[in-house]
Amino acid sequence: MATSEPQALVTLDQETRLHEDDHHSIKLWLRLLTCSSLIESRLRTSLRETFDTTLPRFDFLAQLERTPNGLTMGELSRRMMVSGGNISGIATQLVNEGLVERSPLPDNRRTVLVKLTPKGARTFAQMAEEHEHWIIGMLGHLEVAEVDQLMVLLSRVKEGL
């Protein structure tokens, strides 16, 4: 009986699509996409394993943490660039867990304002602290001068868009 040797795991990412003669802009796009996807994937895993939560829920809480007076569901939807239905589902889950509260605006009862509860603020603070450690763990090997250079170059990319 033949035994098979363990095969090396091959990481498939967006850059595997590259061809040597691809335009440099395509190569850059796929490198940016790969890096972003790898970071996001690790964050999703860490949030799930450490806090039993998702990246959209973390982002939802982060938006509210930045605006202590709360946000309307429409504002949350615009800031997170997702549909109102997605926001509504996340809000319901977080209300049920006691992390956020919803209340109608006094001057417009059809518009709902969402705010962090004290429990939500404490929970998010713990998540944000870990999130910061994870990001530093992934990008902290870069020297300050390298980060500065990347920031300048990415600003040029952003301006071109």
Side-chain angles (χ1 to χ4, degrees):
M1 180 155 112
T3 60
S4 62
E5 293 186 32
Q7 294 182 355
L9 292 177
V10 176
T11 302
L12 298 178
D13 57 39
Q14 290 82 356
E15 287 186 89
T16 60
R17 296 184 246 169
L18 280 173
H19 297 284
E20 190 174 316
D21 59 344
D22 281 339
H23 192 274
H24 64 274
S25 296
I26 300 299
K27 292 176 182 178
L28 173 61
W29 160 241
L30 292 175
R31 173 67 52 92
L32 289 169
L33 184 59
T34 296
C35 290
S36 178
S37 295
L38 289 170
I39 291 168
E40 184 176 320
S41 176
R42 289 182 186 174
L43 288 175
R44 286 179 187 279
T45 298
S46 295
L47 284 166
R48 185 180 61 253
E49 291 176 353
T50 306
F51 297 105
D52 192 27
T53 197
T54 64
L55 188 54
R57 288 166 49 107
F58 176 85
D59 289 342
F60 188 105
L61 295 171
Q63 292 300 323
L64 293 177
E65 191 272 337
R66 291 182 190 109
T67 50
N69 293 330
L71 292 167
T72 66
M73 297 290 275
E75 289 170 325
L76 279 163
S77 178
R78 281 188 294 283
R79 286 178 181 218
M80 293 179 65
M81 296 182 281
V82 297
S83 73
N86 288 345
I87 293 299
S88 182
I90 294 170
T92 298
Q93 293 171 4
L94 295 173
V95 165
N96 291 339
E97 294 172 28
L99 300 178
V100 302
E101 59 187 13
R102 291 186 283 203
S103 58
L105 287 178
D107 57 340
N108 182 351
R109 309 281 301 161
R110 291 181 294 155
T111 302
V112 175
L113 188 68
V114 184
K115 292 182 183 181
L116 283 177
T117 63
K119 177 183 177 184
R122 287 189 307 273
T123 299
F124 179 74
Q126 292 171 338
M127 287 187 213
E129 185 176 342
E130 283 299 313
H131 180 272
E132 182 177 319
H133 292 299
W134 298 329
I135 296 294
I136 292 169
M138 287 185 271
L139 301 175
H141 64 283
L142 296 171
E143 299 293 329
V144 172
E146 293 171 315
V147 171
D148 290 344
Q149 183 181 16
L150 271 171
M151 294 297 284
V152 167
L153 293 172
L154 289 172
S155 289
R156 288 193 58 211
V157 170
K158 186 177 177 182
E159 289 167 7
L161 301 173

